[in-house]
Structure formats: structure tokens, C-alpha cells
Amino acid sequence: MKQSEELQEILRRIDHRGYPAYKDTAGAYQFANYVLSIDHVQGDPFASPSKVSILVDGKKAGFPAEMTEKKHTRTALCDALLRKFGREAEQYSHKAKGSGKSGLLSVSRPGQEVLERSALEITPGSGDVLLRLEIGFPANGRTINAGELSKILFRFLPECVQQSLFYKNADKKHLQAVRELAEDQQFLREQLADKKLAAFVADGAVLPRESGVSDRPMKQATVFASPESMAVEMDLPYAGKMRGMGIPQGVTLIVGGGYHGKSTLLKALERGVYNHIAGDGREYVITDDTAVKIRAEDGRSIQKTDISMFINGLPNGRDTKSFVTEDASGSTSQAANVVEAMEAGTRLFLIDEDTSATNFMIRDELMARVVHPKMEPITPFIDRVKELSDEYGISTILVAGSCGSYFYKADHVIQMMQYQPKEITEAAKQEAARFSDITKDKPALALAAKPSFHRVFAAGKKAPQNDRMKIKGMGKDAVSIDRDTIELRYVEQLVDSEQTMALGYMVKYAKQHLFDGKKDIQTIARLLETLVQEKGIGAVCEGRYLPCNLAVPRVQEIFACLNRCRSLDETGRGALHGRYGRK
């Protein structure tokens, strides 16, 4: 390893030379309290910034073991340190002048959720702190301006590191509060199963968001208050006794007039699979962390999915036990989304009537009389929802604004009025008993056969391990691996574009190492999950350096990404003959 003085000498030597001479700076350098590694040097001042990492020895960093020994507290600490470094770096970004991206200091900027990220990692046991960031190496035109880079590496960066990555300089009360919140959130997650709850929403929670483009809490919003009949009290390790609404396992219906907060509550429950930072308003909105938002997804690719639980007897004898299409309809896509979520191990479906296919969710009495049931290939979700709960242990929370037939199926009914919940289960059941509906009296369906979850894919030609497959993220909407674009815009529990990038690397790794024509999709997804859990997100990245812009997704999103990869089974695609699956 070189010393920092050697880096200064290199900068003096290459000053005013052509930009490619910056590549001489690549390598690791020992500074007073940390190691600076220049992992990748950009080829041009207008290209993507250079990749740099900072390693602080655990003994020098000095963070207490109580903050780093458990995964959930370690992740929360990493998140807090990353936010602190980001605030410090923002003060210095572009203070060094030049053309293109000169002077840029860029680090991941987390949102409201606390996620495990490649940008900052703490090694269990040793407590070593590793930070990854991007720096725009300064130039005048395409001529090196080493004096400005020297400012960044020897003045700006050391100040940011000192203020952010050492416990002695930290706001200890703040970090203690971060740890305690993470412990309380973990405790609540563990209590859900013990108390047979699908979700918990604390009194005082702020669910509405600032705007459609901001995930921050709305100012002066109505705070949440649990109805007495659904109130649950939790005794948290640090926050003490906390009252809130416990949503029991089973089938729960959320109803109410327009703009009264039905979808707002469901959206909070969707995000409740993640922990949130203090001040978000949803810190104590905790949902079963296997929950999956289910919706219709016109046009998505479906590969070999058994949707026979919901769809049978398609025209021309199309196979629904191994259904294949490149362009699914609303009903087939929603059926596939349900079955694939089951395959991913979900214990809770979250569904909004507004984003569902009507013919998949319900079939009313008049339509059943006009179109004979024998002519309808779809078994609607309403006919399976209790079976999913009773036989498979999968609960459902459904937002309904216009369909009353689910009152007959619901175990609990919550009415939202001006963003406040009221339990109306008994009243809804009494009213439903006086109302004629075909779903009330028709005989129960025979139990569906358990869907087949042993799907094996060829994944086309196996990619060589040393190839240069390019991964490009498109926000949260999609990720491209070479020319194969995986659409993810309707995988609504992806909350950060860095999760999308991580999924791209996971699919690339799977194509190179896991797809062998023998492993089914469950095995592949679980192998990816285990690999990342045990070795970190870097385990699926095999380049010269680990990207600094990755966030770990849940296994449910790993399944969702694999299921939307159109190149998984080239032989299946070859037999499609055009747009197959629309009804």
C-alpha cells in the first residue's frame, strides 16, 4: 500500500497533462486515519465520475458493538452515517472548479426507508467502516487540474470523513436514538406473528405524504388514531407502551368514500415492509415483511406460471398450468402476480380495487346470469380469498370503493373517514345479509390444487463469467442487461432506484452461474437471497470494484424481477407465435 505523500507526488507529476494520465492515481493510499482507494478513474471529465472508497479501521472508528452486532441496528447505523456524510459532502461538491463533472462529490442519498446499501458497510465483529462514493476528477477542458483534485482529496474529503465516520465526533444521542428505533421496529415485527397480526399502525402516525413526487410526511396532516375495537397495545423495549391498530390475519376490507384515505392507508402498509427513519411519520407502521402488493399488469411477460387456480378452459386449449405469454391481459397478469407471490413465500396480499382487473376480482349476479359460468374461464379472486387464508395461511388486505360483494368474505371491515379508521364489520355484515348477491348463496368451489412452483428455465445461452454485460438502471421503472430490458414499474414495493440496479446485478449473476436447466426459480431466487445475506450485495458483482449505488431488495422483488425477465426461457419464447395471452 502506498502512502498519501506518494499520491501528492503523482498529482504534481501529472498536472497539466492530458486527462488519461489521471489513471496513474489508481490504487490504495494510507492517510492518517483511513485508507483511500481510487478504484476506477473516469476516462473523461464528462464521463461517469471516478469511483473512490474510504476504509476506516474499526478500532479507530470506535462505534460500540451494541450498534454493530445485530443486522437491523447495523443497517440503521450505516444509514445514519451515510446521511451524515452526504450532508457534509454537499457543502464541498463542485467547490473544486473545472469542466464537465469536475469537483463533484456524490454519495447515495437515501429516502425515507432504511435500506442495506453498498455505499456504506460496517463489517460485523471488526467494526471496519467502508464508504464508497464518486468524485469528478477536475480538468480544464481535457487537461488535468491536479491542484483542484488535491483540494478534494487532501482538504475536503478528510474533513467529511472526520465529521462522519468516527464515533468520537458523532452526535452520540442521535446515534443512540437511531439504534433504539431500530430495536423497537424489529420488536414490533417479531410481535406481529406472535399476536397473529398482518400489520400494526401506531396511534399518532402520519400517513399522507407531502405530494405525489415527495415521500416526506404532509405537514399539518391528520394523525392516525386506532378504533377501540382494533386497538392493540405493544410494550416496546425503548419507546415503552404504544397503542395502535392491529390488523388481524385473515381477510380485511378497507372501504370509504373517495379521498378519505383508503389508498393512503394501503400505501403506508405497502411501505411498512421496510423500516423508516425518525420523523417520517410511518416509523411504527409495521407490516408483515413478506407482504406483496398485487395488481393488474397489462403487457407483462409470463413464463411457465401455473395460473389454473384462477384461469382454466381458455380457447384453443391453451395450457394454464404452465402459462406462457409475452403480452398478458389484466386478468392473466393479476392471476400470475398472485401465484408468483405465493411462490415467493408471501403471507399477505395487499390489493387496491383501483389497480385491479375487474373480471379477475369479481363477477356480479347479472353478468353471471347473462354469460353462463361454464363459458367463463376465470375463477374470480373473491371465490379464492378465503381459501387462500384458511388453507394457505395467506391474508389479504383489500381496498374496495365500489364492490360490496367482498363484505361476505371479509373477517374485518375498516371504514376510512377523513383519514381516520372505524371498524364497521358487524354493521357491514348485517347490511350484506339483507342484500341479494350471487356470491352469498352460490355453493363453495372445490379447493384448488396447489400451484406448481417447480419452474425450470434455460435462460438462453449461458453467459460467460468474464463477459462485459452492461447493466443500466432506468430509475425504479426498469433495468436493462445488455439489450434485455426488465420492466419493473408495477413492482410497487421497489422504493429506491438502487434496488433496481441491484436486481440487475442479481439477474446477471444468475445467468452466469445459476441457470443450468436444472434449478427451478425458487432455488435460484433463494440462492441469490442467501448469497447476499451472508456475503453482502458485493457477492453478485464480479467487476474490478463494487458499485456504490446498490441497495438490497427483498426476496419477493428478486422473484418479481426474475419473473419479468423475458429472456429466461428462449425455447418458450420461440413457440409464442406473436401476441399470446390477450383475451
Side-chain angles (χ1 to χ4, degrees), residues 407-453:
F407 286 132
Y408 299 108
K409 304 290 185 177
D411 299 309
H412 301 275
V413 182
I414 301 169
Q415 182 176 7
M416 295 299 292
M417 295 184 292
Q418 297 180 348
Y419 290 90
Q420 293 294 349
K422 178 183 179 182
E423 189 191 6
I424 60 166
T425 307
E426 186 175 345
K429 293 287 188 181
Q430 289 176 355
E431 193 63 33
R434 294 193 289 267
F435 191 84
S436 175
D437 190 287
I438 190 171
T439 63
K440 178 176 66 173
D441 300 317
K442 74 178 185 179
L445 291 177
L447 293 181
K450 184 176 181 179
S452 171
F453 295 145

Side-chain angles (χ1 to χ4, degrees), residues 242-529:
M242 179 172 290
R243 182 183 182 275
M245 182 175 74
I247 301 179
Q249 295 170 355
V251 181
T252 299
L253 201 61
I254 302 174
V255 300
Y259 303 98
H260 279 267
K262 304 185 303 296
S263 295
T264 299
L265 173 57
L266 189 73
K267 179 63 72 173
L269 295 174
E270 289 174 30
R271 298 295 182 93
V273 298
Y274 303 107
N275 289 347
H276 289 79
I277 59 172
D280 173 76
R282 301 169 296 184
E283 302 96 310
Y284 298 107
V285 178
I286 304 294
T287 309
D288 184 313
D289 55 16
T290 68
V292 175
K293 171 69 184 301
I294 301 294
R295 59 166 295 152
E297 196 174 341
D298 284 45
R300 66 153 288 196
S301 166
I302 299 173
Q303 299 290 343
K304 298 182 178 179
T305 301
D306 183 355
I307 60 173
S308 60
M309 175 181 275
F310 298 101
I311 299 178
N312 277 295
L314 289 177
N316 301 323
R318 293 174 179 172
D319 182 11
T320 61
K321 288 186 177 293
S322 184
F323 187 73
V324 176
T325 178
E326 287 291 282
D327 187 20
S329 66
S331 56
T332 54
S333 64
Q334 196 158 358
N337 287 343
V338 168
V339 173
E340 289 166 359
M342 294 171 67
E343 185 176 33
T346 188
R347 296 184 295 266
L348 175 62
F349 293 136
L350 302 170
I351 303 176
D352 193 331
E353 181 185 81
D354 286 350
T355 56
S356 296
T358 302
N359 60 341
F360 175 77
M361 295 301 295
I362 185 69
R363 195 159 181 263
D364 67 26
E365 182 179 7
L366 180 57
M367 184 59 70
R369 289 177 178 175
V370 173
V371 180
H372 195 275
K374 290 184 178 180
M375 299 299 294
E376 174 54 69
I378 301 173
T379 301
F381 186 76
I382 193 170
D383 291 339
R384 296 292 188 203
V385 66
K386 290 294 287 183
E387 177 186 343
L388 288 166
S389 175
D390 298 341
E391 300 297 325
Y392 293 90
I394 303 175
S395 301
T396 296
I397 299 176
L398 169 66
V399 167
S402 60
C403 177
S405 295
Y406 276 88
F407 286 132
Y408 299 108
K409 304 290 185 177
D411 299 309
H412 301 275
V413 182
I414 301 169
Q415 182 176 7
M416 295 299 292
M417 295 184 292
Q418 297 180 348
Y419 290 90
Q420 293 294 349
K422 178 183 179 182
E423 189 191 6
I424 60 166
T425 307
E426 186 175 345
K429 293 287 188 181
Q430 289 176 355
E431 193 63 33
R434 294 193 289 267
F435 191 84
S436 175
D437 190 287
I438 190 171
T439 63
K440 178 176 66 173
D441 300 317
K442 74 178 185 179
L445 291 177
L447 293 181
K450 184 176 181 179
S452 171
F453 295 145
H454 299 288
R455 296 184 290 145
V456 178
F457 296 108
K461 183 179 179 181
K462 194 170 184 179
Q465 295 182 20
N466 61 348
D467 74 336
R468 300 180 63 85
M469 295 170 69
K470 187 174 181 180
I471 298 172
K472 180 181 178 182
M474 305 171 195
K476 292 185 291 184
D477 289 348
V479 62
S480 173
I481 306 171
D482 281 351
R483 288 172 289 180
D484 183 16
T485 298
I486 305 173
E487 296 287 344
L488 298 168
R489 72 185 63 195
Y490 295 129
V491 182
E492 297 185 53
Q493 286 165 292
L494 283 172
V495 297
D496 195 297
S497 60
E498 294 191 358
Q499 290 177 303
T500 310
M501 282 295 296
L503 288 169
Y505 279 95
M506 288 182 173
V507 173
K508 175 184 174 182
Y509 183 90
K511 285 187 173 185
Q512 292 176 330
H513 299 281
L514 301 180
F515 283 104
D516 55 7
K518 299 176 182 178
K519 296 183 183 72
D520 61 31
I521 194 169
Q522 275 193 323
T523 301
I524 291 168
R526 295 295 177 184
L527 284 172
L528 289 170
E529 178 193 29

Side-chain angles (χ1 to χ4, degrees), residues 169-229:
N169 299 325
D171 182 342
K172 296 175 180 59
K173 288 185 178 179
H174 171 67
L175 293 186
Q176 182 64 17
V178 167
R179 184 184 77 84
E180 291 177 359
L181 176 58
E183 292 278 26
D184 283 344
Q185 291 167 331
Q186 182 65 23
F187 178 83
L188 278 173
R189 292 196 184 280
E190 294 168 356
Q191 287 294 298
L192 290 183
D194 291 345
K195 295 183 179 294
K196 299 189 183 309
L197 297 177
F200 175 83
V201 185
D203 286 0
V206 178
L207 306 187
R209 298 295 91 188
E210 193 171 59
S211 70
V213 294
S214 172
D215 202 34
R216 295 178 178 176
M218 180 183 290
K219 297 177 181 177
Q220 299 179 334
T222 301
V223 299
F224 190 89
S226 173
E228 285 295 333
S229 58

